[in-house]
């Protein structure tokens, strides 16, 4: 549904037309085979999302013994706002999440030779795996595995050399902003419970691979937040790895209590699930929100709307190129409307002439208006 409704965002087309990356090559391959359309653009992310869901289920078998509870875990996983976004938006969060889950599954089921090969390949896939190498280096120190420590330290150093880590500025206190974004990605209740489980396991020394991968990246993101605004989407996939741990803790805490003491756990679970359903509904039916938002540009998905419908309207009028701002121009290019100086598109012109006006509406609410003027070029 969202594949049909969403337009290509400026970030997505910048990735598509920008510098080479592994994700770019996957998206371009999809477009090559399925044509330049929204389905082909988002198919790689949808595929990675499905594979990530399967891997999460397989990994959860080690931590959650009752199959019914594993199903609940997967339901929570797919309803997380951050996971939904990674499934439909072309960015590296979905790729990193899949890579992390693949590593965890491989680490628990395959030989060390394959693990070393997989980690080495991640060096060339994305800069986002730099925190994986760091967390595994810390984990190998804890396990006293010198060879694994040196290997991951080398990968971390090379990744730092190739991609770098943006550390800048003076203390500016963005930590509350980071925590707020984490709460939005996971919903407040689940985020607080993740933090509680990670801290509790640290106190009880019940720490292993998933704990290190989640905790190290989380701590690094908070430390960086003291000096700068952090792109939390780079760190959120690591914290998602804690879901099997929180499911295991919740299952154990629930089962050891008598029925009369389980009520609070059931309430927490029901409220969390209800919030997730509300959030996912807001994503799936987001166009209806324009009726309650006074300024359409304040809509959380506005940057992923309008472009496709605008390009279609322009082409229906025989206009295949326009001059407009850089962001919209790049987005229109994906839909076959290129840049030129013959037609000038002036956005947000609600007082434009009727003959030249272009309006885009969602659910009978006008969300975009502009007009096109011909430019005489001597």
């Amino acid at each position: 549904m969202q594949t049909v409704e969403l337009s290509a965002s400026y970030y997505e087309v910048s990735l598509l037309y920008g510098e080479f990356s592994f994700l770019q090559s996957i998206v371009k391959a999809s477009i090559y085979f399925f044509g330049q359309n929204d389905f082909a653009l988002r198919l790689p992310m949808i595929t990675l999302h499905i594979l990530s869901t399967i891997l999460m289920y397989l990994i959860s078998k080690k931590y959650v013994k009752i199959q019914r509870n594993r199903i609940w875990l997967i339901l929570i996983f797919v309803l997380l706002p951050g996971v939904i976004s990674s499934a439909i938006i072309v960015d590296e969060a979905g790729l990193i999440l899949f890579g992390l889950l693949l590593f965890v599954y491989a680490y628990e089921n395959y030989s060390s030779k394959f693990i070393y090969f997989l980690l080495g390949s991640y060096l060339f896939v994305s800069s986002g795996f730099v925190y994986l190498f760091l967390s595994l280096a810390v984990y190998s120190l804890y396990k006293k595995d010198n060879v694994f420590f040196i290997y991951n330290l080398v990968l971390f150093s090379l990744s730092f050399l190739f991609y770098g880590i943006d550390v800048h500025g003076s203390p500016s206190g963005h930590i509350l902003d980071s925590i707020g974004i984490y709460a939005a990605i996971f919903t407040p209740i689940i985020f607080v419970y993740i933090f509680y489980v990670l801290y509790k396991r640290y106190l009880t020394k019940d720490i292993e691979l998933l704990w290190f991968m989640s905790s190290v990246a989380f701590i690094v993101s908070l430390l960086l937040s003291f000096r700068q605004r952090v792109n939390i989407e780079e760190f959120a996939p690591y914290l998602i790895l804690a879901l099997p741990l929180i499911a295991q803790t919740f299952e154990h805490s629930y089962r050891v209590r008598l029925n009369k003491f389980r009520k609070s756990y059931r309430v927490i679970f029901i409220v969390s699930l209800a919030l997730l359903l509300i959030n996912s509904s807001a994503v799936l039916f987001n166009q209806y929100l324009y009726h309650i938002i006074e300024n359409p540009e304040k809509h959380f998905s506005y940057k992923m709307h309008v472009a496709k419908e605008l390009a279609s309207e322009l082409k229906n009028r025989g206009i295949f190129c326009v001059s407009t701002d850089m962001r919209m121009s790049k987005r229109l290019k994906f839909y076959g409307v290129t840049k030129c100086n013959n037609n000038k598109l002036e956005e947000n012109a609600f007082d434009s002439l009727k003959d030249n006006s272009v309006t885009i509406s969602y659910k009978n609410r006008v969300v975009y208006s502009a007009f096109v003027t011909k430019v005489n070029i001597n």
Side-chain angles (χ1 to χ4, degrees):
M1 178 178 177
Q2 289 303 298
T3 302
V4 176
E5 293 185 351
L6 293 180
S7 298
S9 68
Y10 173 72
Y11 174 83
E12 290 173 315
V13 294
S14 296
L15 184 147
L16 183 62
Y17 299 128
E19 295 181 0
F20 172 82
S21 67
F22 182 81
L23 181 58
Q24 180 197 70
S25 63
I26 295 176
V27 174
K28 283 189 173 181
S30 176
I31 291 174
Y32 176 80
F33 287 107
F34 299 103
Q36 189 156 315
N37 53 69
D38 293 294
F39 173 76
L41 178 69
R42 308 193 189 283
L43 180 60
M45 307 314 300
I46 296 172
T47 304
L48 289 174
H49 173 66
I50 294 172
L51 294 176
S52 295
T53 304
I54 295 172
L55 287 170
M56 177 62 79
Y57 178 80
L58 295 175
I59 292 169
S60 68
K61 289 183 178 181
K62 175 183 175 181
Y63 301 90
V64 184
K65 303 305 179 183
I66 301 176
Q67 184 178 8
R68 178 182 67 254
N69 293 341
R70 291 199 294 269
I71 300 298
W72 283 116
L73 169 61
I74 296 304
L75 180 61
I76 291 174
F77 171 73
V78 298
L79 288 177
L80 284 176
V83 174
I84 293 176
S85 297
S86 69
I88 58 178
I89 299 176
V90 181
D91 65 16
E92 294 205 339
L95 176 64
I96 293 171
L97 177 60
F98 168 73
L100 294 175
L101 291 170
L102 178 62
F103 167 76
V104 173
Y105 180 76
Y107 185 84
E108 296 175 348
N109 294 277
Y110 291 92
S111 67
S112 58
K113 290 183 179 180
F114 180 76
I115 298 303
Y116 281 87
F117 169 78
L118 185 64
L119 287 174
S121 66
Y122 282 179
L123 179 64
F124 306 99
V125 171
S126 171
S127 61
F129 290 112
V130 63
Y131 307 109
L132 170 63
F133 305 141
L134 177 61
S135 62
L136 292 179
V138 177
Y139 172 69
S140 56
L141 275 179
Y142 175 77
K143 299 291 289 186
K144 298 180 180 179
D145 188 341
N146 295 330
V147 175
F148 200 48
F149 167 74
I150 294 174
Y151 185 72
N152 280 284
L153 186 61
V154 170
L155 290 178
F156 172 77
S157 302
L158 290 174
S159 185
F160 187 84
L161 180 64
F162 292 164
Y163 306 108
I165 297 179
D166 187 14
V167 180
H168 66 273
S170 58
S172 51
H174 291 292
I175 188 168
L176 293 180
D177 294 335
S178 297
I179 292 175
I181 296 173
Y182 273 126
I185 291 174
F186 291 95
T187 71
I189 294 178
I190 293 178
F191 173 66
V192 170
Y193 196 68
I194 289 176
F195 180 81
Y196 162 76
V197 169
L198 293 178
Y199 183 66
K200 179 182 178 182
R201 285 177 176 259
Y202 169 75
L203 294 178
T204 59
K205 304 301 180 184
D206 186 15
I207 53 180
E208 37 88 289
L209 179 64
L210 288 184
W211 186 90
F212 278 95
M213 293 175 67
S214 298
S215 299
V216 170
F218 179 57
I219 292 171
V220 169
S221 70
L222 294 184
L223 290 176
L224 291 176
S225 296
F226 280 109
R227 298 185 61 87
Q228 65 197 66
R229 190 177 299 276
V230 175
N231 184 10
I232 295 299
E233 288 78 5
E234 294 182 359
F235 297 93
Y238 290 86
L239 210 54
I240 289 174
L241 295 179
L243 286 181
L245 300 181
I246 71 169
Q248 183 185 51
T249 302
F250 190 90
E251 181 184 66
H252 179 265
S253 300
Y254 184 83
R255 292 179 63 188
V256 298
R257 284 168 171 76
L258 297 174
N259 284 331
K260 63 180 180 179
F261 298 115
R262 294 177 175 178
K263 182 177 179 180
S264 61
Y265 284 85
R266 287 195 291 266
V267 170
I268 291 173
F269 179 80
I270 292 172
V271 172
S272 300
L273 189 60
L275 289 174
L276 286 174
L277 288 172
I278 292 172
N279 284 335
S280 61
S281 298
V283 173
L284 294 175
F285 304 103
N286 66 82
Q287 290 189 359
Y288 289 97
L289 297 178
Y290 281 111
H291 286 282
I292 60 177
I293 299 176
E294 183 177 353
N295 183 357
E297 294 185 7
K298 298 296 183 181
H299 191 290
F300 69 89
S301 291
Y302 185 78
K303 293 181 180 180
M304 301 194 68
H305 287 157
V306 175
K308 176 169 54 177
E309 293 82 2
L310 177 59
S312 178
E313 179 64 22
L314 290 173
K315 287 190 288 188
N316 287 340
R317 300 184 182 196
I319 301 172
F320 294 90
C321 67
V322 293
S323 171
T324 184
D325 71 272
M326 180 188 66
R327 289 178 173 268
M328 182 58 78
S329 181
K330 273 195 172 184
R331 298 178 68 194
L332 292 175
K333 177 183 175 182
F334 180 78
Y335 296 104
V337 178
T338 58
K339 183 178 180 180
C340 71
N341 295 321
N342 297 327
N343 305 294
K344 185 177 180 181
L345 178 71
E346 296 187 37
E347 299 183 4
N348 299 320
F350 285 92
D351 295 326
S352 59
L353 298 176
K354 291 184 178 180
D355 293 340
N356 298 327
S357 64
V358 179
T359 59
I360 306 299
S361 301
Y362 292 138
K363 312 304 178 186
N364 297 320
R365 168 74 193 280
V366 176
V367 300
Y368 176 91
S369 181
F371 68 89
V372 182
T373 57
K374 295 285 185 179
V375 178
N376 294 322
I377 301 176
N378 296 325

